[in-house]
Amino acid sequence: MTESTTQLKRDSYALTREHAVDLDKKDPLRHLRSEFFIPTKADLKRKTLVKYAQNGEAADEPSIYLCGNSLGLQPRRVAHRINDHLAAWASKGVFGHFRGHEDTSAPPFLYIDNVAAGKLAPLVGAKHSEVAAMETLTANLHLLMASFYRPTKEKYKIILEGKAFPSDHYAIESQIIHHGLDPKEAMILIEPPDPSIITISTSHIISIIDEHAASTGLVLLPGIQYFTGQWLDIKTITKHAHSKGLIIGWDLAHAVGNVVLHLHDWDVDFAVWVNYKYVNSGPGCIAGLFVHERYGKVDMDALSKGEKAFHARLSGWWGGNMDVRFDMGPQFVPIPGAAGYQVGNPSALALTSLLASLEIFAETDMAAIRAKSVALTGYLEELLLSSSETSPNHYRIITPSNPDERGAQLSVLIEQRLLDGVLANLEDNGVVVDERKPDIIRVAPVALYNSFTDVWDFVKIFKEACQKVAADSMK
């Protein structure tokens, strides 16, 4: 057998389902899939709720769920942890704030947000004191812009990405209006210099910062762009913004639990994120924020003299120092760190769901998760790009091919007028992805619960759907 023949067989084998099965057998994180409920294909079509069997396994064939970038799957232990919380509330009432139980890991209600912050910190590369589990992403964005966007006559602009997630755009625009400014003058949108190229280079972002630095009050960018899946160079861009004397914040909704972050070491000023995507805390669950430790200091001596003692913020009871919180005094004394930016009493129920998922993250680390994610998404890309003369592809990938410039998600641009038909075909076959009109699907294999076999099966169904819908459109 010649060397070229051997190589051809290897290349052919790499595209087979048997190869995907072998990759799954070698996956060091494969055991974590059993920690999650995978909706079955029958579940997706059922119009009534059904309970899982007592052993937690569904008899029907599991769906191919590649939509963790929109909503993560439910960890099996969530229901157990929430039941413990409900039992604590039922049996202790208000005393549940202060008294724990020996037969559960659930902390008393009063301390649960601090416990969650400590478990979130490793996911974002931060000190415990720099993280808070609180509110929703947009609410946290408003709270932190109230602290970090302090426009003057000279420095009033906010630099953001032109295709920012709409809620970010709305929040920024409303903050500018709140300060009596004109968004047309104060919002600087970073657009690709070449309209045919959807992603934005680091050099282009830096050039926009340079152009507007003298009149800018804040830079606010996405860690991973939700539409294209591009992972921006947070470290480099942050360093450059600081070199121009600018504050920079990051929306990490699509980054936390997805890629390795080092927010403290990268000297990020602040960041916000959701926990219902890659962190799997549940629909609309409590969010998180990061505030660098330099903005969390509290000078008690200055406070006693009535002088400025901490960074400006919108204050609330739950951000007050726990030693004096229940004294009910009129003077606000913040908790040192990010916790001092909290406003209201957080939902212990939501935090319980978050903690259940974070227990799974604690069984591994972000380096291992990221290593599998790179392999999964690389495999997805390889299979999507494979084609033949008889079966040409009807799509192209718009996400960067460099693994260092993307997370788990690949955004796939489908030929015009094929999207609805392809999506219907995928749904009929038990495949869950999401769409962005008019012609994008986003596919995100998640390292904690997706397999290489999931990826292989998806690509086969997706390619067949594209071929069928394209052929039907020609009739």
Side-chain angles (χ1 to χ4, degrees), residues 272-295:
V272 296
W273 62 88
V274 299
N275 289 310
Y276 57 77
K277 296 180 184 291
Y278 294 99
V279 186
N280 313 303
S281 63
C285 195
I286 198 162
L289 62 75
F290 164 90
V291 177
H292 197 279
E293 64 178 352
R294 61 178 167 273
Y295 302 112

Side-chain angles (χ1 to χ4, degrees), residues 362-412:
E363 294 182 12
T364 180
D365 57 44
M366 282 308 303
I369 291 171
R370 175 61 177 158
K372 178 180 175 181
S373 179
V374 169
L376 266 178
T377 301
Y379 184 56
L380 172 63
E381 180 183 44
E382 178 186 5
L383 294 179
L384 285 172
L385 294 178
S386 65
S387 63
S388 65
E389 292 183 2
T390 57
S391 300
N393 294 332
H394 295 275
Y395 54 83
R396 65 184 177 91
I397 299 169
I398 64 171
T399 306
S401 60
N402 182 352
D404 292 336
E405 296 178 7
R406 70 186 185 200
Q409 172 186 320
L410 291 185
S411 295
V412 182

Side-chain angles (χ1 to χ4, degrees), residues 408-460:
Q409 172 186 320
L410 291 185
S411 295
V412 182
L413 177 67
I414 302 177
E415 287 181 3
Q416 290 184 359
R417 298 183 298 278
L418 299 187
L419 179 64
D420 290 343
V422 169
L423 283 174
N425 192 291
L426 292 177
E427 187 171 337
D428 285 344
N429 283 279
V431 175
V432 183
V433 295
D434 75 357
E435 63 175 308
R436 286 296 178 266
K437 297 287 188 181
D439 45 22
I440 294 286
I441 66 165
R442 303 186 305 170
V443 187
V446 175
L448 289 179
Y449 51 76
N450 281 126
S451 65
F452 290 90
T453 308
D454 282 339
V455 169
W456 193 93
D457 289 342
F458 160 74
V459 173
K460 180 177 184 294

Side-chain angles (χ1 to χ4, degrees), residues 347-367:
S347 167
L349 186 62
L351 285 163
T352 297
S353 181
L354 172 59
L355 279 175
S357 181
L358 291 174
E359 290 177 12
I360 300 172
F361 279 89
E363 294 182 12
T364 180
D365 57 44
M366 282 308 303

